[in-house]
Amino acid sequence: MSAPTRRPISHDLRMVAGRVWAIAALPFVSILLALVVGAVIILVSEIIVPKQTFDLAKPLVAYQALAVGAFGSFDAVVDTLVQAAPLILGGLSVAIGFKAGLFNIGAQGQFLMGALGTVAAGVAVADAPPIVAIPIAVLAGILAGALTGFIPGILKALSGAHEVVTTIMLNYIAADVLAALVSGPLKVPNSPSPVTYDVGNAAFPIILGRDGHLGIVLAILAIFLIWWLLYRTTRGFEIRAVGANPDAARYAGMRPRIIVVATMTMCGALAGLAGGSVILGVTHQMTSSFGTTVGFDSIAVALLARSDPFGIFFAALLFGAMRSGAGLMQIEAGIPVELVDVLQATILLFLVASPVLRRLFRLRGVRSGLGSSDTIARTYGGEAVR
Amino acid sequence: MDGLITALYAIPALGLVFQLGGYFVAQLPPLAPIILGSAAPLAFGALCGVMCERSGVVNIGIEGIMLASAFTGWIVGVAIAPVIGGSPSDFFGVTAPLLIALAAAILVAVLISLVHAWLSITVRADQIISGTIINIAAFGVTGYLNTLISQSSPTSAGSFVPFIPPASVANIPVIGWILEMFLNQGPIAMSLLVFVIVVQVMLYRSRWGLRTRAVGEHPKAAETVGIDVVRVRYRNVLIGGVFAGLGGAYLSMEATNSFQAGMTAGRGFIALAAMIVGRWTPLGALGAALLFSTFESVGQSITISPPSGQLGDLMSALPPQLYDALPYIITIIVLAGLIGRSIPPAADGQPYEREAAS
């Protein structure tokens, strides 16, 4: 008797490839189509704004510069990772919300408040040894972000004020609070422009290349932590159950209100950590204009990754690459960095229209583009969760 | 003893409250036209929200639609003003380029609304995500084009100017300043009042209004009695787009005659809050928008001319950003306080699927 015949390895590989394609096909097609749309926009704006001679290859020049700027050298790759780190954390923040049926548009405000908490604590402990200073500064950022997430959570649980509106209001309030503190109590006295002191010893150590800081490691650890939390713990199951069907979750003995508050707080903590990692890893201090679009990009990252923790890594890498390459694109091809926003929005647009895309390109694949996030609108403006 | 100390503290506190009240009473009449002016984009946005959500489509892309139409109005005006030209008339400063630009702004708003309608009604995508994408896209595209264009220093296209009511109007006792508030406006802000009243009446007194409300509350029942749910929703979202377009055009063609990246600055979202606070009615939304803009204007006036005395010292000591944040804080407080009694249309945000759909 011969041993049971084993399927050849190549068959398994094909199965894996098929599975990967099933998951990645839609994002991949969306990205390709977005690049085409971006090219059309570049060409059209060449005609509208007659500054240089019309050049049909301009989009290719732009995309090439974008790619070189993002991946052209070791330092460029590290910079892409640096740009991706806060997007990973922010993306996880938005994704956890999606899993619980909450739309956290407030990642931006939580990001800013986290950065503010981090810089305030970091300046206070700037002379302590790094082993003490870094955890204190990081924790302060997490706490500040968590508090900013707790507010819309508790408001939703108590009065049903929808988080979409309250978190957006908090975004603007956070920007105002930041400006007030940085040009007021936190300002370096006698400095001509509003800027805080340096965080000194609380700054993240550089572990990779020219400016690859510890925050990259934290972000990747967070991916595993959130995956474990969502799929391997009871709390994670409750979060997903409430997101899928709050009524059923309540009948099963869970308490959606508490889970909503806890999830929003966790969203805030993650976004706060993202803000803190930018302060400790990149800027080391804060100016009153500290306000990147990380919070808003995080929504795009979470949507592109369909709220999957590991998918978020790749989505954040893509958007991080766009951010890190945009500078070179502007220099070499004269294309404003805002093109990156256009590309991101177009990718998402195609993903939302995924049923149409699938019909068009005959993709079979897993569920529709935005998967687990399709219960959000149902809670809009509704009564308080019970 | 404690009570006495409390009473002693209460006296100056009470004095401050009276000072504050007196300050506002003195400040409000001259601010009145500004208040309605800054309420206009909020109310237009809220009107768009009412149109959409009454028929069951959530539209949080209002911010993006307003931004896109503000940009379009401005850029079209700038582009065609040198070609067509014409000096502004006495009538609201209207010129041919301005009218064409206004039409373009509204057209763009309707086109974006069409995308939203298609995604949320036909594709049955998540409506909140569709709106968010509209916001991101509008911010990106307008920012991108604005950066490209501002390199070649564009000229101004002019803007609509407010009507100057006769001085005797302001002298009418008691209601003079309220009349001034509504009269001392440009054509877009003035049209707001007409639209609010028309939509309010239509919503509750016309066949269209009844059908819209039916579709928003119970689409299945509406379909049963022969109302085409999909058509009603498409039409309402597109008409809502006209209102959002007017709100955007107001910003770049009436309040200012320029465009800055992200100049809507969250007004589309405050408009949503105004709609909710106004309980999904046009009149309520206008009232809420006036409430928010009052706080905004008072904040501005405090930074420009702070009250004298103790109160002035206190208010000047506070950081100016606090006043900037005031409308947002008020929005949260009002939302958290009122939403319990404010019930949205039952089918709001739910994609509609015909029973027999194959």
Side-chain angles (χ1 to χ4, degrees), chain B residues 263-301:
Chain B
M263 77 183 297
T264 41
R267 288 186 181 88
F269 295 115
I270 301 188
L272 278 178
M275 172 197 71
I276 296 173
V277 173
R279 298 177 195 193
W280 285 266
T281 65
L283 274 180
L286 175 66
L290 281 171
L291 176 76
F292 297 141
S293 64
T294 304
F295 277 98
E296 199 183 319
S297 313
V298 164
Q300 282 168 4
S301 98

Side-chain angles (χ1 to χ4, degrees), chain A residues 221-244:
Chain A
L221 284 180
I223 293 178
F224 287 98
L225 184 72
I226 295 302
W227 171 81
W228 175 79
L229 173 85
L230 278 177
Y231 298 102
R232 288 291 180 272
T233 66
T234 319
R235 293 280 161 265
F237 176 75
E238 288 184 347
I239 288 175
R240 289 184 291 130
V242 167

Side-chain angles (χ1 to χ4, degrees), chain B residues 124 354-358:
Chain B
R124 294 195 283 272
R354 275 200 187 90
E355 201 94 329
S358 54

